[in-house]
PDB file of all heavy atoms in Angstrom:
ATOM      1  N   VAL A 118     -29.747  10.172 -83.050  1.00 98.00           N
ATOM      2  CA  VAL A 118     -28.808  10.524 -81.989  1.00 98.00           C
ATOM      3  C   VAL A 118     -28.233  11.907 -82.277  1.00 98.00           C
ATOM      4  O   VAL A 118     -27.647  12.139 -83.328  1.00 98.00           O
ATOM      5  CB  VAL A 118     -27.665   9.491 -81.885  1.00 98.00           C
ATOM      6  CG1 VAL A 118     -26.695   9.881 -80.784  1.00 98.00           C
ATOM      7  CG2 VAL A 118     -28.234   8.096 -81.626  1.00 98.00           C
ATOM      8  N   MET A 119     -28.421  12.826 -81.317  1.00 97.00           N
ATOM      9  CA  MET A 119     -27.935  14.194 -81.479  1.00 97.00           C
ATOM     10  C   MET A 119     -27.181  14.615 -80.215  1.00 97.00           C
ATOM     11  O   MET A 119     -27.782  15.148 -79.265  1.00 97.00           O
ATOM     12  CB  MET A 119     -29.103  15.150 -81.749  1.00 97.00           C
ATOM     13  CG  MET A 119     -29.797  14.909 -83.081  1.00 97.00           C
ATOM     14  SD  MET A 119     -31.018  16.193 -83.459  1.00 97.00           S
ATOM     15  CE  MET A 119     -29.954  17.638 -83.630  1.00 97.00           C
ATOM     16  N   PRO A 120     -25.860  14.384 -80.167  1.00 94.00           N
ATOM     17  CA  PRO A 120     -25.080  14.723 -78.972  1.00 94.00           C
ATOM     18  C   PRO A 120     -25.096  16.211 -78.629  1.00 94.00           C
ATOM     19  O   PRO A 120     -24.818  16.581 -77.486  1.00 94.00           O
ATOM     20  CB  PRO A 120     -23.664  14.259 -79.335  1.00 94.00           C
ATOM     21  CG  PRO A 120     -23.862  13.221 -80.387  1.00 94.00           C
ATOM     22  CD  PRO A 120     -25.047  13.686 -81.168  1.00 94.00           C
ATOM     23  N   GLU A 121     -25.411  17.050 -79.610  1.00 95.00           N
ATOM     24  CA  GLU A 121     -25.433  18.488 -79.335  1.00 95.00           C
ATOM     25  C   GLU A 121     -26.698  18.925 -78.590  1.00 95.00           C
ATOM     26  O   GLU A 121     -26.779  20.058 -78.100  1.00 95.00           O
ATOM     27  CB  GLU A 121     -25.312  19.283 -80.629  1.00 95.00           C
ATOM     28  CG  GLU A 121     -26.464  19.115 -81.616  1.00 95.00           C
ATOM     29  CD  GLU A 121     -26.276  17.956 -82.583  1.00 95.00           C
ATOM     30  OE1 GLU A 121     -25.527  17.017 -82.251  1.00 95.00           O
ATOM     31  OE2 GLU A 121     -26.882  17.989 -83.670  1.00 95.00           O
ATOM     32  N   ALA A 122     -27.684  18.053 -78.493  1.00 97.00           N
ATOM     33  CA  ALA A 122     -28.918  18.382 -77.777  1.00 97.00           C
ATOM     34  C   ALA A 122     -28.673  18.370 -76.276  1.00 97.00           C
ATOM     35  O   ALA A 122     -27.863  17.598 -75.763  1.00 97.00           O
ATOM     36  CB  ALA A 122     -30.027  17.402 -78.142  1.00 97.00           C
ATOM     37  N   SER A 123     -29.397  19.200 -75.556  1.00 97.00           N
ATOM     38  CA  SER A 123     -29.213  19.282 -74.102  1.00 97.00           C
ATOM     39  C   SER A 123     -29.664  18.021 -73.393  1.00 97.00           C
ATOM     40  O   SER A 123     -29.161  17.688 -72.322  1.00 97.00           O
ATOM     41  CB  SER A 123     -30.012  20.469 -73.550  1.00 97.00           C
ATOM     42  OG  SER A 123     -31.412  20.176 -73.544  1.00 97.00           O
ATOM     43  N   SER A 124     -30.618  17.330 -73.996  1.00 97.00           N
ATOM     44  CA  SER A 124     -31.269  16.211 -73.325  1.00 97.00           C
ATOM     45  C   SER A 124     -32.084  15.430 -74.334  1.00 97.00           C
ATOM     46  O   SER A 124     -32.415  15.937 -75.421  1.00 97.00           O
ATOM     47  CB  SER A 124     -32.198  16.730 -72.222  1.00 97.00           C
ATOM     48  OG  SER A 124     -33.138  17.649 -72.786  1.00 97.00           O
ATOM     49  N   THR A 125     -32.429  14.199 -73.979  1.00 98.00           N
ATOM     50  CA  THR A 125     -33.333  13.438 -74.833  1.00 98.00           C
ATOM     51  C   THR A 125     -34.748  13.997 -74.746  1.00 98.00           C
ATOM     52  O   THR A 125     -35.511  13.937 -75.710  1.00 98.00           O
ATOM     53  CB  THR A 125     -33.310  11.954 -74.455  1.00 98.00           C
ATOM     54  OG1 THR A 125     -31.956  11.471 -74.531  1.00 98.00           O
ATOM     55  CG2 THR A 125     -34.152  11.122 -75.410  1.00 98.00           C
ATOM     56  N   SER A 126     -35.084  14.585 -73.617  1.00 98.00           N
ATOM     57  CA  SER A 126     -36.411  15.220 -73.487  1.00 98.00           C
ATOM     58  C   SER A 126     -36.573  16.350 -74.492  1.00 98.00           C
ATOM     59  O   SER A 126     -37.667  16.563 -75.038  1.00 98.00           O
ATOM     60  CB  SER A 126     -36.600  15.739 -72.058  1.00 98.00           C
ATOM     61  OG  SER A 126     -36.662  14.679 -71.131  1.00 98.00           O
ATOM     62  N   GLU A 127     -35.498  17.084 -74.737  1.00 98.00           N
ATOM     63  CA  GLU A 127     -35.537  18.133 -75.759  1.00 98.00           C
ATOM     64  C   GLU A 127     -35.831  17.534 -77.124  1.00 98.00           C
ATOM     65  O   GLU A 127     -36.637  18.070 -77.904  1.00 98.00           O
ATOM     66  CB  GLU A 127     -34.205  18.879 -75.783  1.00 98.00           C
ATOM     67  CG  GLU A 127     -34.133  20.007 -76.801  1.00 98.00           C
ATOM     68  CD  GLU A 127     -32.796  20.737 -76.783  1.00 98.00           C
ATOM     69  OE1 GLU A 127     -32.384  21.186 -75.689  1.00 98.00           O
ATOM     70  OE2 GLU A 127     -32.158  20.839 -77.853  1.00 98.00           O
ATOM     71  N   LEU A 128     -35.211  16.388 -77.432  1.00 98.00           N
ATOM     72  CA  LEU A 128     -35.443  15.719 -78.713  1.00 98.00           C
ATOM     73  C   LEU A 128     -36.884  15.236 -78.837  1.00 98.00           C
ATOM     74  O   LEU A 128     -37.489  15.339 -79.913  1.00 98.00           O
ATOM     75  CB  LEU A 128     -34.482  14.543 -78.881  1.00 98.00           C
ATOM     76  CG  LEU A 128     -32.996  14.863 -79.008  1.00 98.00           C
ATOM     77  CD1 LEU A 128     -32.193  13.583 -79.150  1.00 98.00           C
ATOM     78  CD2 LEU A 128     -32.744  15.782 -80.200  1.00 98.00           C
ATOM     79  N   ILE A 129     -37.423  14.700 -77.751  1.00 98.00           N
ATOM     80  CA  ILE A 129     -38.804  14.209 -77.803  1.00 98.00           C
ATOM     81  C   ILE A 129     -39.766  15.369 -78.071  1.00 98.00           C
ATOM     82  O   ILE A 129     -40.726  15.234 -78.847  1.00 98.00           O
ATOM     83  CB  ILE A 129     -39.184  13.484 -76.495  1.00 98.00           C
ATOM     84  CG1 ILE A 129     -38.298  12.243 -76.287  1.00 98.00           C
ATOM     85  CG2 ILE A 129     -40.655  13.085 -76.508  1.00 98.00           C
ATOM     86  CD1 ILE A 129     -38.370  11.226 -77.404  1.00 98.00           C
ATOM     87  N   PHE A 130     -39.509  16.529 -77.464  1.00 98.00           N
ATOM     88  CA  PHE A 130     -40.359  17.683 -77.771  1.00 98.00           C
ATOM     89  C   PHE A 130     -40.192  18.084 -79.235  1.00 98.00           C
ATOM     90  O   PHE A 130     -41.178  18.406 -79.918  1.00 98.00           O
ATOM     91  CB  PHE A 130     -40.054  18.881 -76.886  1.00 98.00           C
ATOM     92  CG  PHE A 130     -40.900  20.075 -77.247  1.00 98.00           C
ATOM     93  CD1 PHE A 130     -42.199  20.181 -76.777  1.00 98.00           C
ATOM     94  CD2 PHE A 130     -40.431  21.049 -78.118  1.00 98.00           C
ATOM     95  CE1 PHE A 130     -43.005  21.254 -77.148  1.00 98.00           C
ATOM     96  CE2 PHE A 130     -41.226  22.116 -78.494  1.00 98.00           C
ATOM     97  CZ  PHE A 130     -42.517  22.224 -78.002  1.00 98.00           C
ATOM     98  N   ASP A 131     -38.962  18.089 -79.740  1.00 98.00           N
ATOM     99  CA  ASP A 131     -38.725  18.430 -81.146  1.00 98.00           C
ATOM    100  C   ASP A 131     -39.493  17.484 -82.067  1.00 98.00           C
ATOM    101  O   ASP A 131     -40.003  17.908 -83.120  1.00 98.00           O
ATOM    102  CB  ASP A 131     -37.231  18.370 -81.468  1.00 98.00           C
ATOM    103  CG  ASP A 131     -36.465  19.548 -80.891  1.00 98.00           C
ATOM    104  OD1 ASP A 131     -37.084  20.573 -80.569  1.00 98.00           O
ATOM    105  OD2 ASP A 131     -35.223  19.437 -80.763  1.00 98.00           O
ATOM    106  N   PHE A 132     -39.548  16.210 -81.690  1.00 98.00           N
ATOM    107  CA  PHE A 132     -40.293  15.221 -82.473  1.00 98.00           C
ATOM    108  C   PHE A 132     -41.769  15.586 -82.516  1.00 98.00           C
ATOM    109  O   PHE A 132     -42.397  15.615 -83.583  1.00 98.00           O
ATOM    110  CB  PHE A 132     -40.090  13.833 -81.861  1.00 98.00           C
ATOM    111  CG  PHE A 132     -40.815  12.730 -82.575  1.00 98.00           C
ATOM    112  CD1 PHE A 132     -40.402  12.295 -83.824  1.00 98.00           C
ATOM    113  CD2 PHE A 132     -41.916  12.113 -81.984  1.00 98.00           C
ATOM    114  CE1 PHE A 132     -41.074  11.269 -84.483  1.00 98.00           C
ATOM    115  CE2 PHE A 132     -42.589  11.090 -82.633  1.00 98.00           C
ATOM    116  CZ  PHE A 132     -42.166  10.664 -83.884  1.00 98.00           C
ATOM    117  N   PHE A 133     -42.331  15.898 -81.347  1.00 98.00           N
ATOM    118  CA  PHE A 133     -43.728  16.353 -81.311  1.00 98.00           C
ATOM    119  C   PHE A 133     -43.915  17.623 -82.130  1.00 98.00           C
ATOM    120  O   PHE A 133     -44.860  17.748 -82.922  1.00 98.00           O
ATOM    121  CB  PHE A 133     -44.163  16.594 -79.861  1.00 98.00           C
ATOM    122  CG  PHE A 133     -45.299  17.569 -79.738  1.00 98.00           C
ATOM    123  CD1 PHE A 133     -46.587  17.214 -80.096  1.00 98.00           C
ATOM    124  CD2 PHE A 133     -45.064  18.873 -79.306  1.00 98.00           C
ATOM    125  CE1 PHE A 133     -47.629  18.135 -80.012  1.00 98.00           C
ATOM    126  CE2 PHE A 133     -46.098  19.791 -79.211  1.00 98.00           C
ATOM    127  CZ  PHE A 133     -47.383  19.418 -79.567  1.00 98.00           C
ATOM    128  N   ASP A 134     -43.018  18.583 -81.944  1.00 98.00           N
ATOM    129  CA  ASP A 134     -43.159  19.887 -82.589  1.00 98.00           C
ATOM    130  C   ASP A 134     -43.104  19.779 -84.110  1.00 98.00           C
ATOM    131  O   ASP A 134     -43.782  20.523 -84.817  1.00 98.00           O
ATOM    132  CB  ASP A 134     -42.037  20.805 -82.084  1.00 98.00           C
ATOM    133  CG  ASP A 134     -42.424  22.273 -82.130  1.00 98.00           C
ATOM    134  OD1 ASP A 134     -43.639  22.570 -82.068  1.00 98.00           O
ATOM    135  OD2 ASP A 134     -41.524  23.117 -82.228  1.00 98.00           O
TER     136      ASP A 134
END
Side-chain angles (χ1 to χ4, degrees):
V118 180
M119 294 188 65
E121 64 271 24
S123 74
S124 56
T125 304
S126 293
E127 181 179 307
L128 294 179
I129 297 301
F130 178 81
D131 286 341
F132 180 71
F133 156 73
D134 207 26

